[in-house]
Amino acid sequence: MTNQALNLFDLSGRRALITGSSRGIGLALARGLARARAAVVINARDEASARTAQSLLREERLDATAALFDVTRADDVSAAIEALESETGPIDILVNNAGIQRRASLESFAAQDWNELMRVNLDGVFHVSQAVVRHMLRRGHGKIINICSVQSELARPTIAPYAASKGAVRMLTKGMCADWARHGIQVNAIAPGYFATDLNRALVDDPDFSAWLCKRTPAGRWGNVDELCGAAVFLASDASSFVNGQTLFVDGGLTSVV
Ligand code: NAP
């Protein structure tokens, strides 16, 4: 590949905020974007784990800072984004990654769990995007990547509320594209298949599920979180300048095959 082609993916001079990036997929995406030369902002609620993640990236000589806030608290989100924009620098790339899982049959799913799940997985995307996009609109460019799931498309027993939240994020991605594309902002989503992280520890620890998953997934295995980085760099970079409102499934083929 020529340098000109590779330059399309170069994120030098861009700053990316990745919500929920102290571990798991968010941390892998932060590392991937930083390796593509973006300056990255780690986010989580827990300070110690966010600082540890920041140190891990800095050990690799990557440009990483941290911003602690809870994506569900609109006022805190707004204050944190204003502080980042004025003190650290413009946010050119936003990855809405923070998310949680709660499992129970729908008929006995606690209303409190439903509310918590929706607040993090859906309201959080709205709050952070709204706070960040105001600055992107003023500048006339920006990239937003929403982390969806194969559950944006397919349901499974005991996780109906999670599937509903991720289906909504997929639709919100299209809605953001509808409102913001004309202002130079590209909004797309990545829908991961199954990746071994804390969020799905219950599945990772279940050998029957793991055997079923490997049979069900055309690639025959779990995903490795680093395998999400190519999609993220593509959607964060000039290489995707006319890609908007799309959901890119990174799932080893799971949603393509019955
Ligand atoms: P994880 O390992 O549990 O990490 C979640 C991250 O989000 C942590 O950094 C956590 O830090 C942060 N977080 C949680 N609630 C937050 C809040 N209210 N405000 C700010 N940060 C918050 O999860 P993961 O598996 O990496 O999942 C990341 C995303 O990928 C989620 O949206 C998930 O739905 C999606 N996804 C995962 C898979 C998978 O196979 N793992 C598949 C499809 C989609 P604190 O607790 O310190 O805040």
Side-chain angles (χ1 to χ4, degrees):
M1 207 186 275
T2 64
N3 273 349
Q4 211 178 3
L6 285 173
N7 286 348
L8 279 174
F9 297 89
D10 187 346
L11 301 179
S12 300
R14 320 263 169 96
R15 178 169 289 96
L17 166 63
I18 304 95
T19 67
S21 47
S22 60
R23 59 175 189 263
I25 288 175
L27 177 56
L29 295 180
R31 186 183 279 115
L33 295 176
R35 284 179 179 168
R37 302 205 181 123
V40 298
V41 182
I42 299 285
N43 156 259
R45 292 163 304 174
D46 180 62
E47 174 157 15
S49 54
R51 297 283 171 216
T52 304
Q54 180 188 0
S55 303
L56 280 173
L57 299 195
R58 284 187 173 175
E59 276 166 23
E60 270 191 62
R61 309 182 81 79
L62 300 172
D63 187 339
T65 51
L68 303 170
F69 60 86
D70 182 331
V71 297
T72 68
R73 295 174 178 263
D75 290 347
D76 293 356
V77 168
S78 177
I81 300 304
E82 293 316 306
L84 278 173
E85 283 275 340
S86 60
E87 292 159 26
T88 310
I91 300 164
D92 306 290
I93 301 158
L94 166 64
V95 183
N96 283 306
N97 168 79
I100 59 171
Q101 178 63 287
R102 296 287 177 267
R103 295 171 198 279
S105 288
L106 193 53
E107 67 277 11
S108 52
F109 206 90
Q112 198 184 336
D113 287 345
W114 168 278
N115 290 334
E116 188 193 5
L117 197 135
M118 290 301 166
R119 276 207 312 273
V120 180
N121 292 9
L122 182 57
D123 299 7
V125 177
F126 167 66
H127 295 317
V128 183
S129 301
Q130 197 180 53
V132 169
V133 85
R134 288 184 178 134
H135 297 277
M136 290 179 168
L137 290 171
R138 188 168 40 78
R139 288 190 284 268
H141 62 85
K143 297 276 190 178
I144 299 179
I145 303 170
N146 296 326
I147 302 303
C148 286
S149 167
V150 289
Q151 265 81 48
S152 297
E153 188 67 22
L154 302 171
R156 262 186 67 74
T158 77
I159 57 166
Y162 178 84
S165 74
K166 291 296 181 179
V169 173
R170 188 177 190 191
M171 235 10 252
L172 187 56
T173 303
K174 296 186 187 191
M176 289 175 176
C177 163
D179 278 7
W180 300 335
R182 70 183 62 247
H183 302 291
I185 296 165
Q186 289 91 51
V187 189
N188 291 287
I190 295 174
Y194 284 83
F195 292 78
T197 67
D198 288 351
L199 177 130
N200 51 26
R201 178 67 45 210
L203 305 181
V204 177
D205 293 343
D206 177 350
D208 289 341
F209 178 87
S210 208
W212 171 82
L213 179 72
C214 293
K215 231 171 123 188
R216 171 70 182 82
T217 305
R221 61 177 175 83
W222 287 77
N224 175 327
V225 287
D226 292 332
E227 291 177 294
L228 291 161
C229 295
V233 170
F234 167 60
L235 294 176
S237 71
D238 292 343
S240 58
S241 57
F242 202 54
V243 181
N244 225 324
Q246 299 300 309
T247 300
L248 178 49
F249 284 80
V250 182
D251 64 358
L254 189 137
T255 44
S256 295
V257 175
V258 181

